[in-house]
Amino acid sequence: MKRILFSICCLTLISSVAMGQTKDEQLKRIRGIYAQAKQQVTDNGKDGRAPLDMHIHVSNPSEVSEDFVLDDDTSVNYYFTRSKKEADTDFLEEFSCYLITEYWTSHGHDRSREFLLDPEDGHLLFAYMRGETDGGFVVETRYYYDAKGNLIHQIHKTGNEEFGLNETGPDSHTWNNSDTERAQYIIYLEIFNRLMKSQGLLGTSNETHRPTASKADRLKYIRSTYADAKKKIEQDKKGETAHYIQIVRHDQIIENYAPETIELNYYFDQGEKSKCYFISYHKNSMMFDDYDEYLFDPKTHDLSFSYSRGREEGTEREWRYYFDENGRCIERLSNAEEIGDGYSEKVAADEYLQVFNMLLN
């Protein structure tokens, strides 16, 4: 705990004197913050502390032919801190991401990225990229930014591992530039904030006026679609062309309380615009265990069914909501005293789909 407080104090002090610095002073400050962030990642989850991180893995292969599958994997890691809004509370409501890393690979090509955030206000300080082709050509870039997003320094290196890398200029490659790296940081940070804050379509309306089947036919269709989705997921897991996104977050919302793990899984069909057909959500700690499922209609791609299960202190409650072609709840099943109309489930599904589309579309 003393080490964490010391690190926070150091970072705050470094940030508070950043204004009015020369270029060399700014670079020295950024490198100091980078070293602190790397140490925080090393110490994450150690010495009895709850780990605070989030990992996203996207598997999006393409079947080029019967004999050739083009792999495409992306992993994004977030490292963050938690703090209180008010001193007299146990809730760690505030959060701040300090480092984002990315690793992408496809058919022998790979790319690593790092985005360093200012501990004071979260703006981008530094972006690193190392890319290598299947032929061994390497590109490394480093971009340093000020508080307004302006580029203050850049370093470029190209070459290969056998003969070494040589410092070159920004015109020596087309892998990226300071604007594209900053744009990617903005996307990744918005994804992080959405997942942490659960921002979404709350209060908006996506009402449609499609023809509807009878209730009996609709329920039969939904149950058949659910069985098909489950079967498809199991088949994909055994093959080489499984398309899925897995998000795992390790967090602690309440001070001196059990840490929790959240796992979010997306399953989708690849196309000109990828379509998600099933989402599962699992949140658990020593005190509770929550699980949700969201099934999307393969014809309209809107939510058609949701299932929720909550376990706490020996009690288990379940909720099932069935929706017609226009998103209206037509059947509700639950063993709980309180049962809604599925509105919050639709909001959650919309929130998760926003993240899905930001990652793939």
Side-chain angles (χ1 to χ4, degrees), residues 274-302:
S274 299
K275 298 293 186 181
C276 181
Y277 63 86
F278 193 87
I279 297 174
S280 68
Y281 172 94
H282 187 200
K283 180 177 180 179
N284 71 293
S285 76
M286 293 176 61
M287 312 299 293
F288 61 84
D289 189 296
D290 297 333
Y291 177 75
D292 303 313
E293 291 181 344
Y294 304 91
L295 176 71
F296 298 90
D297 191 319
K299 297 177 182 177
T300 65
H301 306 292
D302 292 332

Side-chain angles (χ1 to χ4, degrees), residues 26-44:
Q26 286 179 300
L27 294 178
K28 182 179 179 181
R29 171 181 177 266
I30 291 171
R31 288 166 180 148
I33 293 174
Y34 180 83
Q36 291 275 2
K38 283 291 193 174
Q39 186 61 54
Q40 284 180 275
V41 171
T42 299
D43 295 339
N44 182 46

Side-chain angles (χ1 to χ4, degrees), residues 166-181:
N166 298 308
E167 189 162 340
T168 55
D171 297 330
S172 63
H173 64 90
T174 58
W175 282 64
N176 68 5
N177 58 51
S178 62
D179 291 333
T180 60
E181 293 307 285

Side-chain angles (χ1 to χ4, degrees), residues 61-72 107 240-242:
S62 301
E63 187 173 355
V64 180
S65 67
E66 291 184 2
D67 301 320
F68 178 54
V69 175
L70 183 64
D71 62 304
D72 193 312
H107 194 50
E240 295 182 346
T241 58

Side-chain angles (χ1 to χ4, degrees), residues 25-237:
E25 289 171 334
Q26 286 179 300
L27 294 178
K28 182 179 179 181
R29 171 181 177 266
I30 291 171
R31 288 166 180 148
I33 293 174
Y34 180 83
Q36 291 275 2
K38 283 291 193 174
Q39 186 61 54
Q40 284 180 275
V41 171
T42 299
D43 295 339
N44 182 46
K46 292 184 177 179
D47 300 327
R49 297 189 299 271
L52 300 175
D53 53 57
M54 180 159 60
H55 309 278
I56 300 176
H57 178 223
V58 181
S59 175
N60 191 22
S62 301
E63 187 173 355
V64 180
S65 67
E66 291 184 2
D67 301 320
F68 178 54
V69 175
L70 183 64
D71 62 304
D72 193 312
D73 284 275
T74 304
S75 295
V76 183
N77 300 311
Y78 298 89
Y79 301 93
F80 59 93
T81 58
R82 282 273 184 188
S83 59
K84 300 178 182 180
K85 255 185 186 178
E86 306 292 340
D88 59 347
T89 181
D90 293 328
F91 289 92
L92 303 169
E93 298 177 83
E94 300 287 344
F95 58 86
S96 177
C97 181
Y98 59 87
L99 187 70
I100 304 171
T101 68
E102 175 213 76
Y103 178 73
W104 166 84
T105 181
S106 177
H107 194 50
H109 305 280
D110 64 58
R111 179 186 64 230
S112 298
R113 274 171 161 159
E114 293 180 346
F115 300 99
L116 177 69
L117 285 69
D118 192 292
E120 186 81 1
D121 60 13
H123 77 262
L124 181 63
L125 287 173
F126 171 67
Y128 168 79
M129 189 280 297
R130 183 190 188 280
E132 183 173 358
T133 69
D134 57 356
F137 179 69
V138 177
V139 175
E140 278 190 4
T141 62
R142 292 169 173 83
Y143 299 105
Y144 300 81
Y145 304 85
D146 65 14
K148 295 182 179 179
N150 299 314
L151 181 68
I152 58 174
H153 187 59
Q154 58 183 314
I155 299 173
H156 299 260
K157 294 181 179 181
T158 60
N160 58 58
E161 291 296 339
E162 182 179 357
F163 298 103
L165 302 182
N166 298 308
E167 189 162 340
T168 55
D171 297 330
S172 63
H173 64 90
T174 58
W175 282 64
N176 68 5
N177 58 51
S178 62
D179 291 333
T180 60
E181 293 307 285
R182 188 168 181 273
Q184 187 60 61
Y185 143 79
I186 291 172
I187 292 172
Y188 279 155
L189 186 61
E190 184 175 352
I191 289 171
F192 172 77
N193 287 330
R194 284 188 177 277
L195 289 168
M196 295 292 286
K197 293 180 179 178
S198 295
Q199 295 174 339
L201 300 176
L202 185 61
T204 65
S205 174
N206 51 1
E207 181 181 356
T208 58
H209 301 281
R210 303 184 183 105
T212 58
S214 67
K215 179 179 177 179
D217 287 343
R218 179 64 177 176
L219 293 178
K220 182 180 179 181
Y221 170 77
I222 291 172
R223 289 171 179 139
S224 174
T225 302
Y226 180 88
D228 290 343
K230 285 286 192 174
K231 182 179 179 180
K232 184 176 181 179
I233 290 170
E234 290 305 312
Q235 289 176 338
D236 284 349
K237 286 180 179 179

